[in-house]
Amino acid sequence: MFTCTFTFLDLYQITMAYAYWKSEKMNDHAVFDLFFRKNPFQGEFTIFAGLEECIKFLEKFHYSSSDIKYLKSTMPSSVDQRFFEYLKDLTPKDVTIYAMEEGSVVFPRIPLLRVEGPLIMVQLLETTLLTLVNYASLMATNAARFRMFAGKNITLLEFGLRRAQGPDGGLSASKYSYIGGFDGTSNVLAGKLYNIPVTGTHAHSYITSFTSIDDLQEKTLTHKETGQVCNLLELACKHRNSVAADVGTLVSEASNGELAALISYAIAFPQRFVALVDTYDVKSIESSAKRQACIASLNVKNKCLTNGSNTHAQNGVRNSPIISESTSYDKNGFLNQGELGELYVRSGLLNFCAVALALNDLGYKAIGIRIDSGDLAYLSNTARDIFERIAIKYNIPWFAKLTICATNDINEETILSLNEQNHKIDCFGIGTHLVTCQRQPALGCVYKMVEINGQPRIKLSQEVDKVTIPGKKDAFRLYGADGYALIDLLQRSTEEIPQVKHKVLCRHPFQESKRAYVIPSRVESLHKVYWKNGKLCQPLPTLQEIRNRVQESLKTLRNDHKRNLNPTPYKVAVSDDLYNFIHDLWLQNAPIGELS
Amino acid sequence: MFTCTFTFLDLYQITMAYAYWKSEKMNDHAVFDLFFRKNPFQGEFTIFAGLEECIKFLEKFHYSSSDIKYLKSTMPSSVDQRFFEYLKDLTPKDVTIYAMEEGSVVFPRIPLLRVEGPLIMVQLLETTLLTLVNYASLMATNAARFRMFAGKNITLLEFGLRRAQGPDGGLSASKYSYIGGFDGTSNVLAGKLYNIPVTGTHAHSYITSFTSIDDLQEKTLTHKETGQVCNLLELACKHRNSVAADVGTLVSEASNGELAALISYAIAFPQRFVALVDTYDVKSIESSAKRQACIASLNVKNKCLTNGSNTHAQNGVRNSPIISESTSYDKNGFLNQGELGELYVRSGLLNFCAVALALNDLGYKAIGIRIDSGDLAYLSNTARDIFERIAIKYNIPWFAKLTICATNDINEETILSLNEQNHKIDCFGIGTHLVTCQRQPALGCVYKMVEINGQPRIKLSQEVDKVTIPGKKDAFRLYGADGYALIDLLQRSTEEIPQVKHKVLCRHPFQESKRAYVIPSRVESLHKVYWKNGKLCQPLPTLQEIRNRVQESLKTLRNDHKRNLNPTPYKVAVSDDLYNFIHDLWLQNAPIGELS
């Protein structure tokens, strides 16, 4: 979607490029590491994503004459014009990129990319590579966490386009949510571009655009098998009368506009009938006396319910149960969420069941419902209960398994809390919290020089976490006999690869006393060459393969590293050689002050 | 940048469109309001932005045959194929859009856009309009807040591309930061596309790519006036010796690699010389004995400093002041930020001053420095102090006013805290917190149907804040005699416009007891028609005009609405007619339950 262009960078890359060129350092051989320092979302793992986009950017890298013209206009007139000629012919043909496999579980400090080549070119790639990896990895990690906490049997849908940070932010969100484990998106363009399943039904406005049965122009639908034309409205009205008691709603309480909307939708999509059921869901209480009456009535009902969990099923039409523990009014005199309001989701539930049963008469199976407000655990249980009762009553077992989709401002905590409440939801549609990564909207990858002309570079910092690990390095993941990953190990590129069944000394990069011998049952080399001599070196995985890779890679990680509360940090170590190399260099680079 | 395409929407818009078409409701006349419910960032105002992008989207709206082909593949095969023919010819020619002026201060509930037209078309616009307004307005508001708290004399630069949510997120961030009051961006493409000033110098990697003076291939620069070729290195070394005492650093403590880097940069950009001065800024302490010695020494120096704020100026080379109140070591035995580390910013400061003075000899004025770590208030004061001293010593007054730019993870709180500490910073470069809107990464605009075929629609909700205000409405801003905005008023479109000097009854939309008469000195109609009969109705303002509009519009808002802590909510009211209209409709729509 996004047209790659050479000017997609920070100006300081261009000013540095000119200064390198001017001082004839442009072809110095540089090595940069792209890495992050801290896992996002208070977690202890990250999913690496964005590699394919990085490679595509390299493939298209070229300064157009329009780019050059613009750059000329922004640079001082004193700039040597031959520099622009030089830029015109610049390509990343001498750049080599080592990278982790896209979709892998990754950890702080281990380079996601190692970029080698002429200083000028490698420096020019900085911002673009960071942008393409940062949000992609953050998004994939966020999605993977939702998947983990929702469980593998729940359908997860990304509904975030309208809240995304810019149109392309929406596209990236759809793509990387899918990679992280979501099943589909509402974003049609993402579906078209990336072949991701797209999904969606209707909004509240669809329901409210119908006022009454009279708004229904078309009332008939042909039978799926026989082809016979039947009146869906008549069938639905008949069923509405007969299931009202099962749903716990008076037919007179149900909205006819809503029924008309659902029928028209069912006629349009008889095989994909999903209904939004919470449009008519509120109740205002007019007088203080009525409020008191209401509270009293609620209390009585609460009692009924606690005395027998299924009492409400037999209570008949007017005694709809109110399960909420506390009944309260807000300052405006309205009943609060989850209380009386719940009564009126039943307009939607009744109308849905009526239409679904009518469709069933014509050979079609409805898909399910969507709930966009209220107490989702309670409402999903109510709906499931009703579906199960109808399944038995009409002897249509599939009715018990109708899909219940929830979509109201869902985040990680909502899902964990719903899990504790034994919700009966099959599908979550998640928007804002997913696509904006509300808990932590940036990953914070950095791109640091670690070697130039064969000389290691260390960036010292007052904060030890910000000290870079110098030199060209290789990374390995050591696995235990149980198949779980034990530790990630960084070595100097000149060292021998760790051997299976041989003990390996693993050291904390900065704390001398923290060290351990590890005897790996399996050793995985984490970096592969993806780009060399101006082209891709090995086939890139498909989106589906990356998506599978995420789940496979997560399986190798012990559960205690993945849990939501106080996860155990996964260890990232350096070899003894690298440890000494870092600290010798650190000493050499320590400024000469009064204390050394 | 982003290619507008018809498929840039949520699938449910398409499924609804088909259901509308199928039930022959597609040409029902609908009115939708696009609005938000709560100001972002715990503030009490929002800046409206994104209108131009909405209009551009409408201008390009068209379903390509590739779009149609894809939609066919996602829709069930039962869908009537004539629908796709219908889509091919669909255009927004019958849509009318009323909107607030882009760049205006806006408030909850007042529609930013009112979209009228055929139901099918108006519904299809939902997601795109939301996406284009949501992030744009959030970003412009965030930028405007930074501008407000930084003060009008500070240069604000957007440096967020690498942390943006997708490439286009980065572009939108640059554009709407500029609108909100930023002065420039590091994003070259944004500069190119939107004609925003671009800016940038170099990274730490530029500095560390030079190891010693020997790395300097080119040492000469021609004099700006005389054209004489001079040795910049020699001049800089001479100045370094003579200003070391003023800076408070031994020449032997300063990095020669850094000097080489700054000289090469100065040769490349003699008229735009800005130096990153904190590359060599850390100190490890090797032994416990040395730690103790260091602490003792620090304590002595703290005392020196507190006894006379300028003592350090006369202390000479080795007695660099340490201003930090508490001296502590972290668990790794390193001194914490802001303490000893500060000593070593002076390598950068000394090298910068040396090169800047050498440039001055050749007729060039340096721009200033960038600090990317440490205690920014203290470091900026130290640097300003040194610049002022050198300005006097060499009789070059402009040296005292060199720009000090700070860039380390700046957010709103950092700026407010720096203000309290009397920082001497002239320029902030802001990235992550600006572009991701970390404090609140989504605005939450919604798009609600308020009328269909002349019939008002109200969306009721258990949460009164989510109840929509029904019907076609006009919005006015009433101003007091002092020129400040008093209240925003929503009326039914059929009502007469409020008159200057006539009292207007303004009511809280949901709280009966809250009402007040307002006598406006000025009445501003907030909505204009921007799109009608398939085209733009009035010229769109330039980016610069929108940017000015933001500041002008903010000026009409009392300071207590704008402050950071507990700002006073600005009032949004409805007319008495509209109040009664809402509540009558609410009663009519209340479901028939046991309490009514």
Side-chain angles (χ1 to χ4, degrees), chain A residues 528-557:
Chain A
K528 289 181 190 168
V529 191
Y530 279 90
W531 178 268
K532 199 170 182 172
N533 299 324
K535 58 177 193 284
L536 180 67
C537 300
Q538 50 189 314
L540 288 172
T542 63
L543 206 65
Q544 193 59 51
E545 285 164 345
I546 299 170
R547 186 168 187 266
N548 295 342
R549 167 80 187 167
V550 171
Q551 297 308 320
E552 290 306 314
S553 190
L554 275 170
K555 272 186 205 154
T556 65
L557 201 60

Side-chain angles (χ1 to χ4, degrees), chain A residues 9-11 15 25 66-67 123 134 162 168 186 188 192 201 208-209 211 282 301 457 461 592 594, chain B residues 10-11 15 25 66-67 126 134 162 168 186 188 192 201 205 208-209 211 253 282 301 457 461 594:
Chain A
L9 41 56
D10 287 315
L11 184 64
T15 56
K25 279 179 73 69
S66 134
D67 291 332
Q123 183 78 69
N134 254 329
R162 65 191 58 196
D168 188 81
S186 62
V188 177
K192 183 178 174 192
T201 55
T208 56
S209 76
T211 311
V282 87
K301 285 190 209 137
R457 279 292 173 274
S461 170
I592 304 158
E594 54 200 2
Chain B
D10 288 315
L11 184 65
T15 55
K25 278 181 73 70
S66 135
D67 291 332
E126 176 178 11
N134 253 328
R162 63 191 59 197
D168 188 80
S186 62
V188 177
K192 183 179 173 190
T201 55
S205 58
T208 56
S209 75
T211 310
E253 280 176 344
V282 87
K301 286 190 208 136
R457 278 293 173 271
S461 170
E594 55 201 358

Side-chain angles (χ1 to χ4, degrees), chain B residues 41-97:
Chain B
F41 314 123
Q42 289 146 25
E44 289 296 345
F45 71 89
T46 300
I47 302 293
F48 168 53
L51 177 61
E52 186 194 11
E53 304 266 351
C54 292
I55 300 294
K56 282 188 181 162
F57 172 73
L58 287 174
E59 285 174 340
K60 290 185 185 168
F61 188 97
H62 164 67
Y63 288 63
S64 70
S65 43
S66 135
D67 291 332
I68 301 276
K69 195 176 154 201
Y70 174 71
L71 287 178
K72 277 188 185 172
S73 77
T74 64
M75 303 276 278
S77 56
S78 62
V79 164
D80 190 328
Q81 299 298 300
R82 286 169 299 174
F83 173 63
F84 298 108
E85 291 303 311
Y86 174 82
L87 284 186
K88 253 184 213 165
D89 300 326
L90 195 63
T91 72
K93 69 177 163 40
D94 298 322
V95 169
T96 305
I97 294 192

Side-chain angles (χ1 to χ4, degrees), chain B residues 62-303:
Chain B
H62 164 67
Y63 288 63
S64 70
S65 43
S66 135
D67 291 332
I68 301 276
K69 195 176 154 201
Y70 174 71
L71 287 178
K72 277 188 185 172
S73 77
T74 64
M75 303 276 278
S77 56
S78 62
V79 164
D80 190 328
Q81 299 298 300
R82 286 169 299 174
F83 173 63
F84 298 108
E85 291 303 311
Y86 174 82
L87 284 186
K88 253 184 213 165
D89 300 326
L90 195 63
T91 72
K93 69 177 163 40
D94 298 322
V95 169
T96 305
I97 294 192
Y98 296 81
M100 307 278 279
E101 207 171 310
E102 186 159 7
S104 300
V105 171
V106 293
F107 303 98
R109 298 193 170 283
I110 303 285
L112 305 176
L113 304 179
R114 186 174 93 210
V115 184
E116 303 184 14
L119 178 57
I120 193 167
M121 191 61 234
V122 168
Q123 184 77 70
L124 279 169
L125 297 176
E126 176 178 11
T127 307
T128 316
L129 296 182
L130 283 172
T131 308
L132 294 176
V133 170
N134 253 328
Y135 181 59
S137 300
L138 185 72
M139 195 59 244
T141 308
N142 201 18
R145 292 177 65 88
F146 272 106
R147 165 55 66 206
M148 202 167 69
F149 296 125
K152 64 180 181 192
N153 296 323
I154 299 277
T155 301
L156 290 178
L157 304 174
E158 177 268 312
F159 283 175
L161 178 54
R162 63 191 59 197
R163 304 287 163 79
Q165 300 203 335
D168 188 80
L171 262 185
S172 308
S174 304
K175 177 175 176 178
Y176 295 108
S177 297
Y178 185 68
I179 282 179
F182 272 56
D183 299 295
T185 176
S186 62
N187 184 339
V188 177
L189 185 56
K192 183 179 173 190
L193 289 176
Y194 304 127
N195 198 24
I196 299 171
V198 287
T199 178
T201 55
H202 49 251
H204 291 115
S205 58
Y206 184 83
I207 305 291
T208 56
S209 75
F210 290 78
T211 310
S212 72
I213 297 292
D214 299 338
D215 284 349
L216 215 50
Q217 303 293 323
E218 174 65 61
K219 293 161 191 147
T220 63
L221 180 65
T222 54
H223 191 288
K224 195 184 169 201
E225 312 297 335
T226 67
Q228 191 193 344
V229 177
C230 302
N231 187 318
L232 194 67
L233 173 63
E234 269 178 22
L235 283 171
C237 286
K238 186 193 79 183
H239 284 297
R240 190 161 74 160
N241 288 329
S242 65
V243 293
D246 302 287
V247 176
T249 314
L250 274 186
V251 169
S252 63
E253 280 176 344
S255 160
N256 283 334
E258 185 181 53
L259 181 67
L262 297 190
I263 286 174
S264 79
Y265 198 80
I267 289 171
F269 297 103
Q271 297 180 72
R272 291 199 193 173
F273 180 59
V274 179
L276 181 58
V277 294
D278 67 346
T279 304
Y280 295 104
D281 67 347
V282 87
K283 178 80 194 129
S284 69
I285 307 294
E286 287 306 300
S287 74
S288 179
K290 281 185 180 168
R291 282 182 208 175
Q292 295 309 320
C294 172
I295 291 173
S297 133
L298 290 170
N299 289 341
V300 170
K301 286 190 208 136
N302 270 337
K303 222 161 171 179

Side-chain angles (χ1 to χ4, degrees), chain A residues 540-596:
Chain A
L540 288 172
T542 63
L543 206 65
Q544 193 59 51
E545 285 164 345
I546 299 170
R547 186 168 187 266
N548 295 342
R549 167 80 187 167
V550 171
Q551 297 308 320
E552 290 306 314
S553 190
L554 275 170
K555 272 186 205 154
T556 65
L557 201 60
R558 285 200 325 263
N559 281 333
D560 59 307
H561 298 305
K562 294 183 284 191
R563 69 187 170 214
N564 170 266
L565 200 66
N566 298 326
T568 314
Y570 178 84
K571 287 195 177 55
V572 172
V574 297
S575 68
D576 194 46
D577 256 21
L578 181 54
Y579 180 89
N580 292 321
F581 183 68
I582 297 169
H583 291 269
D584 287 350
L585 206 64
W586 195 326
L587 263 185
Q588 287 167 32
N589 280 267
I592 304 158
E594 54 200 2
L595 297 164
S596 48

